[in-house]
Amino acid sequence: MTAATASTKATTSAPDPADSSTATTVEFRALSKSFGATVALDGLDLTARPGELLALLGPSGCGKTTALRMLAGFERPDSGQVLVDGQDISGVPAHRRDAGMVFQSYSLFPHLTAADNVAFGLKMRRTGAAERRKRAHELLELVGLPQHADRFPHQLSGGQQQRVALARALALRPKVLLLDEPLSALDAKVRVTLREEIRRLQQELRITTVFVTHDQEEALSTADRVAVMRDGRLEQVAAPAELYDTPATAFVAEFVGTMNRLPGVMADGDVEVLGQRLPVRGAAPAQGPVDVLVRPEALEATADGEGRSRVLTAAFHGSVTRLTLSLPDGATVKADVPSHRAATLPAGATVTVTLPQRPVLVDGPTA
Amino acid sequence: MARLTRKPLWRGAVGLLAGLYFLVPVAASVIFTVDVPGQGFTLDAYSGIVSADGFTDSLLLTLELAAATIVLVMVLLVPALVAVRLGAPRLRPVLEIICSLPLVVPSVALVSGYSSVLRWGPEHLSRTPLFQTFTAVQDKRFPFVLVLAYTVMALPLAYRALDSGLRAVDVRVLVEAARSCGASAPRAVLQVVLPNLRGALLNASFLTLALVLGEYTVGALLGYQPFAVWIVNTGGNQAQLSVAVSVLSLVVTWMLLLVFAALGRPRDRSRSLSRSRRAGRDAAAPAPIAQEVA
């Protein structure tokens, strides 16, 4: 499936935010950018709908941050347009773009208190001191830090600093909120809490938000839709569940979640794998060997004294246990089984591995 | 364990040696100025300073030159350093080399160059408006040519101080954060970058001031009488007075250093938007990292 078709599919399937009447649409249109010989963006077409949280997900160097920086006004596109509510803002300087941004590194102004940081934008707009103070305290309350108004950045923890940065980004009531990996410098526990907080605020304020991250879990758990990028291009944009369940390409399938590659053979449009014949989803060669892409939870492992596969290891993950299985042809795969069933599948047990009779994604001829 | 107990001893010994190295000459100078053979203890050398011929003029001239030099150094260096960090990081080594060049050019050579230009200019530019400029920069009341020379000489010192200050802050992120808050680029630099460089700016200013206060060669060879030249000239016939002035200038320099160090400390919260909560905040100080609101 191409990016364009993926986008169309996602557009029809993702839920709309509750109220998008006053929210903003952001559109990247044929956006290209190179840094010397390195192509950062290669004709990116992508739309963030009014009031949605759109995550840009991809490996390092895929162009997600460049796209965000172009929306913020910190980079100029070589070609293409950035549109906000249909208006091309490519030539508008960053300080007139009406976009609040939270950065990856702690970006609070070290010489100002939390309240002064939040009020900085209002000061730039020449808002009166009393109004600034009122708004700063409102926003600090919104992010749960009213008691830290007088603290300087060095007196705040990383999570608190990012909360203040979020309040600062919202102070001017921007049309768009830009989040450039705001959680990546935080420890795991704070990261989870803060991403839930960001989501809550975003939904409460119904502000169109573009969230750059390389953490798939973060993207899937926070965003209305996730745009997966690779080499400056859009690979697929879809709602998290759709992206996980029906990835458009092998890259998306393997980048989002864990994916097994099982050896299979194409035959008359179907694929033969693990002794089963299954229909194929998406593009596939007509004949020959292929890799069949299957999620661990889609593999069914059943204890069978005469089974030809063997359990190598069993790792407890709470509600599920992840088994590492050795298949008859020597390939190793992962399979998730409910933990209450895992007792019957200890390491060394022989099992039979099957797949549900559903269309599967295949990838190229096997080397 | 033995290493741990011996370490402070070494530190103390090194500290003592360094202290003696600096303090013995100063102490000798002080003794020389207050212990006059045949008179015993006297403060005449110090009381005579203010009334000494040329003292006030040379000191005021030097302070004016120092102020002008500091302004010129900052105006040249700060925008250049910030611009290089924001727009062309690859040019940083080039800027560093340019600013370090004065270290390898002796003052005498620098003066020789200035003298040649100052002689050449009026001869060849007598019919142009530049002639007036050449005359003006050599005005005895305020020889701006000295400011130009001092600026060149202060570049290596000021560059190091400012560069280390800039290393401590992420200029790019701060400017971008300010711009996303609605500040234009110049405003972002003025209101966000410069306040966070206060310590570095003060250090650079102090080093420049110290250089100007103690600079002799350029002033003397170009025929002017700033403070250092006055001290040497006075020392020829009033040895105790000139040493007393040296001691005094050392004390003044140290005091200025303390003032600059005090000014360079992080700003208190008195100008914060939220000063109404100050009392409550201070009660909790020194503020520990508050528990994560998670």
Side-chain angles (χ1 to χ4, degrees), chain B residues 102-111:
Chain B
L103 286 177
V104 296
V105 179
S107 300
V108 175
L110 192 67
V111 174

Side-chain angles (χ1 to χ4, degrees), chain B residues 52-252:
Chain B
D53 193 26
F55 168 78
T56 313
D57 290 344
S58 64
L59 183 59
L60 284 178
L61 174 65
T62 302
L63 290 176
E64 286 168 13
L65 290 171
T69 306
I70 289 168
V71 170
L72 190 55
V73 166
M74 297 303 164
V75 167
L76 283 175
L77 265 190
V78 174
L81 281 170
V82 172
V84 160
R85 288 205 172 244
L86 287 178
R90 287 181 184 176
L91 286 180
R92 221 177 95 198
V94 177
L95 192 62
E96 186 174 0
I97 289 170
I98 291 171
C99 289
S100 302
L101 275 179
L103 286 177
V104 296
V105 179
S107 300
V108 175
L110 192 67
V111 174
S112 170
Y114 275 107
S115 300
S116 303
V117 172
L118 291 174
R119 273 198 308 274
W120 172 88
E123 286 173 15
H124 292 82
L125 303 168
S126 56
R127 292 183 184 176
T128 70
L130 275 175
F131 177 78
Q132 301 294 334
T133 309
F134 270 90
T135 311
V137 298
Q138 297 177 74
D139 188 344
K140 287 271 182 193
R141 287 169 297 176
F142 187 78
F144 193 74
V145 66
L146 286 185
V147 174
L148 297 175
Y150 293 158
T151 299
V152 171
M153 295 165 76
L155 278 181
L157 306 172
Y159 174 85
R160 305 271 162 217
L162 292 173
D163 189 56
S164 65
L166 281 164
R167 278 172 200 267
V169 290
D170 193 336
V171 178
R172 178 181 285 272
V173 168
L174 288 184
V175 168
E176 287 180 354
R179 297 200 71 199
S180 75
C181 289
S184 62
R187 248 183 134 182
V189 171
L190 282 174
Q191 303 217 350
V192 174
V193 177
L194 289 190
N196 286 297
L197 288 182
R198 200 165 51 143
L201 290 169
L202 287 169
N203 281 343
S205 302
F206 172 75
L207 289 170
T208 306
L209 175 68
L211 180 136
V212 174
L213 278 176
E215 207 292 321
Y216 171 80
T217 314
V218 175
L221 294 182
L222 286 178
Y224 301 106
Q225 185 155 296
F227 195 50
V229 177
W230 179 83
I231 290 174
V232 173
N233 290 346
T234 309
N237 45 20
Q238 300 179 63
Q240 279 171 321
L241 180 68
S242 79
V243 175
V245 171
S246 300
V247 170
L248 205 61
S249 70
L250 201 62
V251 172
V252 169

Side-chain angles (χ1 to χ4, degrees), chain A residues 149-193:
Chain A
D150 289 345
R151 297 255 166 103
F152 282 85
H154 70 272
Q155 295 171 315
L156 299 171
S157 69
Q160 289 168 341
Q161 288 193 48
Q162 289 304 66
R163 280 165 191 270
V164 175
L166 185 62
R168 184 179 66 182
L170 294 169
L172 291 176
R173 297 189 172 89
K175 284 183 171 178
V176 189
L177 179 61
L178 310 178
L179 307 172
D180 183 10
E181 306 205 33
L183 310 174
S184 61
L186 307 176
D187 64 59
K189 199 173 172 185
V190 178
R191 201 182 308 165
V192 171
T193 316

Side-chain angles (χ1 to χ4, degrees), chain A residues 155-329:
Chain A
Q155 295 171 315
L156 299 171
S157 69
Q160 289 168 341
Q161 288 193 48
Q162 289 304 66
R163 280 165 191 270
V164 175
L166 185 62
R168 184 179 66 182
L170 294 169
L172 291 176
R173 297 189 172 89
K175 284 183 171 178
V176 189
L177 179 61
L178 310 178
L179 307 172
D180 183 10
E181 306 205 33
L183 310 174
S184 61
L186 307 176
D187 64 59
K189 199 173 172 185
V190 178
R191 201 182 308 165
V192 171
T193 316
L194 194 49
R195 83 181 180 211
E196 288 169 0
E197 189 82 354
I198 287 172
R199 181 57 166 160
R200 178 186 67 77
L201 276 174
Q202 187 270 332
Q203 287 182 322
E204 204 173 301
L205 301 170
R206 297 188 184 107
I207 183 171
T208 307
T209 302
V210 181
F211 181 11
V212 163
T213 179
H214 64 270
D215 183 331
Q216 44 156 312
E217 190 194 331
E218 208 165 273
L220 296 178
S221 63
T222 313
D224 291 307
R225 289 191 304 151
V226 179
V228 180
M229 292 180 65
R230 180 195 193 188
D231 297 336
R233 288 179 159 274
L234 181 65
E235 197 79 4
Q236 183 181 9
V237 56
E242 182 184 341
L243 200 71
Y244 188 84
D245 293 335
T246 53
T249 64
F251 174 80
V252 174
E254 291 189 295
F255 191 77
V256 178
T258 306
M259 190 61 88
N260 289 306
R261 278 182 178 263
L262 303 179
V265 179
M266 291 300 299
D268 302 327
D270 290 338
V271 62
E272 286 178 1
V273 58
L274 294 176
Q276 293 176 263
R277 192 179 175 101
L278 300 174
V280 171
R281 179 165 56 81
Q287 299 291 331
V290 290
D291 280 347
V292 181
L293 304 174
V294 184
R295 298 262 181 228
E297 61 270 26
L299 278 175
E300 182 73 24
T302 316
D304 180 356
E306 294 178 2
R308 295 172 60 211
S309 301
R310 183 178 296 278
V311 178
L312 296 178
T313 61
F316 179 69
H317 285 224
S319 60
V320 297
T321 294
R322 177 156 291 181
L323 306 176
T324 305
L325 306 172
S326 170
L327 298 181
D329 62 1

